[in-house]
Every structure is written in structure tokens, then in C-alpha cells.
Amino acid sequence: MGTGETRVRRMRRIDAHLGYRKAVGIALCGFAAFLALVLASGCAADGGRGAGEGPAGDEFSVAPADATVQRAMVAYVDGGDVLFVDQDTQTPYVPTLPEGALLGIDGQPIDAARLAAGNIVEVVGNGIMLESYPGQYPGITRIQVLEEGTPADAEQYADLVDMVFSATSADGVPAASVEYRTALGQVSLGIDPFRYEFAAAGPDGGPKALEGDYVAEDGVLAEGTMDAIIDGETAATVTFTSAPTAVEVVRRPLADADVEGNASSKKAFAKVDLSVEGQKVPRTLDEDGTVAFAMEPGFVYLIDAAFADGNASYAFMALS
């Protein structure tokens, strides 16, 4: 199944096959004055059934009028690693579990440890999905379990889970995770090395190695290069599935990072300005192997890490 410690960059779209139905209620009122009062108080707003309405009847039992409501299945859960699959679009995403607003079937608060693969949940939030793989959803305000289901129900997503959570480290090569915080919440990007060499024997009996580059001769970044979307200078940390003994961080400017449009447009046009030499980025390396540094939009960041039995290089870009 994989270690669950990193997220791989590629996603396979699966055709939507389950529809999401929103319950509709009709308020029947006995006389005109009472009807006006009920309508004014929102009896008929969006059908009378608030998203996630349950026995708890507390502040989380009804979603705000402008909230986005989704129905998802818990495809995978292992400690802090959780993957939901939207049941309308079949799109996988990593949820931010709201403290105190995770509810069981009975509407009562539960711990995240109570979530299980196969659960069908109702997710209420602002609908803003961060552009990473898999998608990050930090704007969740409430999650409620609607159906318990079974792990067997989640088996339909086994290949998808393997794709998302299988780490390069399963082959003895460390993978990395870039963590940073935006106004929407904590974001984690899983990045695999584009080049490595380790003493452990490969299939041919020689060193385990991969020759690759993060950029082509024309400055185009390698396909699948992950992107961090930030507003300005942002603190970042990088962790690895094996602790490195030394790490160097270098950045190079993106030639077209100021292209008009949103982050997706900028990512499509972004190219490395190969006329500019790389610039070392000040960083700290903790005893546990965590690297910390400040990143800014408009650059590609290269991370060269040395491990006890080899070395690996990683790359990601930062956009605004």
C-alpha cells in the first residue's frame, strides 16, 4: 500500500459514477402570518435540510448558505494521512480535518482516529481546493459521517491510493515533502527525486541510480513539477522519508513567472531563466533531518540532499 509519508504527483481521472442528491423539504404553514415568519427565518432555504443536519443540533449542524457541500468516501486513512474521494467527480483530495467539527453518524463530535476507510462523509467548506497533487482542501469547516461503510467499499480506490501514497522510499530511495502555510491552512507537497544514486544494489547488481534533470535545454520544467502557491515570502520546511546528513537549497528565477493570469496560467508558461546562475538559499537542518528556509514566488527551488548511503536531488516551483 505504501508508507503514507508522501504524495506522488500524478493523478488519474476516473469518470464520475455516483450522483449526489440534496434533500429538499417543503414547509407547510397554517396561516399567512406564520408562513411569512417561517420563510423569513429560512425554513425553505435550500430545501429545509441543513447540510449534515443531525441529532446534535449544535452550531455545526447546518451549513452557511454560501458553503459548499460535498459527499465523499474515505478512501484511505493512516494516522495523519487521509484521502477522500468526491463521490460526484471521483476526484481525490486531502482534507484538513476541522478540530471539534468532525462528527459521527449521531451528530456528536468524534476524534479523527474514528474515521475508517469506506466511511461516507458529508464535507462542508468554502469549496477552495489548492492546486497541488492530490488536491489540498484546507477550508473545511465540518465533516460528518453519514454511512459507516466497510474497508471493502474503499477497495475500488486501491489503485488510486497506491498511486497517491506509494512512496519512492518503498524502493529504498527517500521521497520528500514540502510543508508551508497559507491563509487557507497548512499545505503539503509530495516530491520525488529527479536524480539519485545510492549504494544499494539495483536490478543489475550495480548502484541504484536515476539520471534525470528538472529542466530541459529550453528552460521548460520537467513534467509533473509540483508548485507551491504563495502570496509572498513564506516559511517552508522539507522532510524526508530518511533523515539526510546534509542538505543544500538553491533557487533559480522563472523567466515567465509574471505572466498574466491565475496560478494555473503561470504554471503553464513558467520556464527557468537559464541565463541566471543558481543562488544559495539560507537554510537550517535539524537533528531529525528537517530543513527550514524561506521561499518566494517566481523561483524554482532545488534541494540536494546527502544520505548515509547516497544522494538525491528534488525540485519544485513557487508561484503566486
Side-chain angles (χ1 to χ4, degrees), residues 253-277:
L254 296 173
D256 298 309
D258 58 350
V259 66
E260 293 294 329
N262 58 24
S264 295
S265 299
K266 294 179 180 180
K267 181 177 180 180
F269 288 97
K271 297 173 67 175
V272 179
D273 187 348
L274 299 177
S275 67
V276 180
E277 292 293 327

Side-chain angles (χ1 to χ4, degrees), residues 23 38 40 42 46 57 60 69 91 115 127-128 130 197 242 281 291 294 313:
V38 172
D46 201 27
F60 302 117
V69 181
T91 301
L115 279 180
I128 300 175
L130 300 184
E197 183 174 0
S242 294
V281 177
V291 181
S313 298

Side-chain angles (χ1 to χ4, degrees), residues 190-201:
I191 53 176
D192 288 334
F194 61 84
R195 180 175 57 240
Y196 59 79
E197 183 174 0
F198 286 84

Side-chain angles (χ1 to χ4, degrees), residues 4 12 14 36 50 59 64 71 89 94 105 109 127 146 166 174 176 181 187 213 227 233 244 260 266 290 292 310 316:
R12 182 170 58 198
I14 306 173
E59 60 181 311
R71 186 182 177 93
T89 65
V94 176
I105 289 181
L146 300 180
S166 62
R181 178 170 288 279
V187 182
D213 206 340
D227 57 288
E233 184 174 298
E260 293 294 329
K266 294 179 180 180
T290 299
F316 72 96

Side-chain angles (χ1 to χ4, degrees), residues 21-114:
R21 300 174 188 146
K22 185 179 292 184
V24 177
I26 300 175
L28 298 178
C29 305
F31 51 89
F34 183 64
L35 173 61
L37 177 61
V38 172
L39 291 176
S41 61
C43 172
D46 201 27
R49 177 187 178 274
E53 185 178 80
D58 59 14
E59 60 181 311
F60 302 117
S61 64
V62 179
D66 59 349
T68 296
V69 181
Q70 299 174 336
R71 186 182 177 93
M73 176 179 284
V74 180
Y76 178 74
V77 57
D78 181 15
D81 289 318
V82 182
L83 185 71
F84 284 1
V85 177
D86 186 291
Q87 295 296 277
D88 278 341
T89 65
Q90 295 300 297
T91 301
Y93 63 90
V94 176
T96 296
L97 303 180
E99 185 175 354
L102 179 58
L103 310 177
I105 289 181
D106 60 359
Q108 299 300 322
I110 61 174
D111 294 331
R114 294 274 302 279

Side-chain angles (χ1 to χ4, degrees), residues 46-301:
D46 201 27
R49 177 187 178 274
E53 185 178 80
D58 59 14
E59 60 181 311
F60 302 117
S61 64
V62 179
D66 59 349
T68 296
V69 181
Q70 299 174 336
R71 186 182 177 93
M73 176 179 284
V74 180
Y76 178 74
V77 57
D78 181 15
D81 289 318
V82 182
L83 185 71
F84 284 1
V85 177
D86 186 291
Q87 295 296 277
D88 278 341
T89 65
Q90 295 300 297
T91 301
Y93 63 90
V94 176
T96 296
L97 303 180
E99 185 175 354
L102 179 58
L103 310 177
I105 289 181
D106 60 359
Q108 299 300 322
I110 61 174
D111 294 331
R114 294 274 302 279
L115 279 180
N119 287 167
I120 295 296
V121 296
E122 186 174 69
V123 182
V124 180
N126 60 12
I128 300 175
M129 197 75 66
L130 300 184
E131 294 184 19
S132 60
Y133 181 73
Q136 307 275 327
Y137 193 177
I140 295 175
T141 56
R142 182 179 58 73
I143 297 173
Q144 180 169 3
V145 178
L146 300 180
E147 303 172 22
E148 288 188 355
T150 68
D153 297 329
E155 282 298 314
Q156 60 185 305
Y157 301 117
D159 290 344
L160 179 61
V161 170
D162 283 343
M163 190 186 308
V164 172
F165 287 105
S166 62
T168 328
S169 57
D171 295 326
V173 179
S177 179
V178 181
E179 308 275 348
Y180 63 97
R181 178 170 288 279
T182 71
L184 296 175
Q186 189 75 13
V187 182
S188 175
L189 299 180
I191 53 176
D192 288 334
F194 61 84
R195 180 175 57 240
Y196 59 79
E197 183 174 0
F198 286 84
D204 59 356
K208 185 177 296 183
L210 172 68
E211 289 296 330
D213 206 340
Y214 71 98
V215 63
E217 292 182 357
D218 59 358
V220 174
L221 287 160
E223 182 181 358
T225 300
M226 299 300 293
D227 57 288
I229 309 302
I230 54 179
D231 293 329
E233 184 174 298
T234 302
T237 59
V238 180
T239 57
F240 303 86
T241 52
S242 294
T245 57
V247 175
E248 183 178 84
V249 180
V250 173
R251 72 179 190 181
R252 299 184 74 172
L254 296 173
D256 298 309
D258 58 350
V259 66
E260 293 294 329
N262 58 24
S264 295
S265 299
K266 294 179 180 180
K267 181 177 180 180
F269 288 97
K271 297 173 67 175
V272 179
D273 187 348
L274 299 177
S275 67
V276 180
E277 292 293 327
Q279 174 188 18
K280 277 192 176 183
V281 177
R283 92 296 176 273
T284 61
L285 178 60
D286 292 345
E287 292 182 359
D288 63 358
T290 299
V291 181
F293 59 93
M295 62 179 178
E296 298 179 55
F299 294 89
V300 59
Y301 287 84

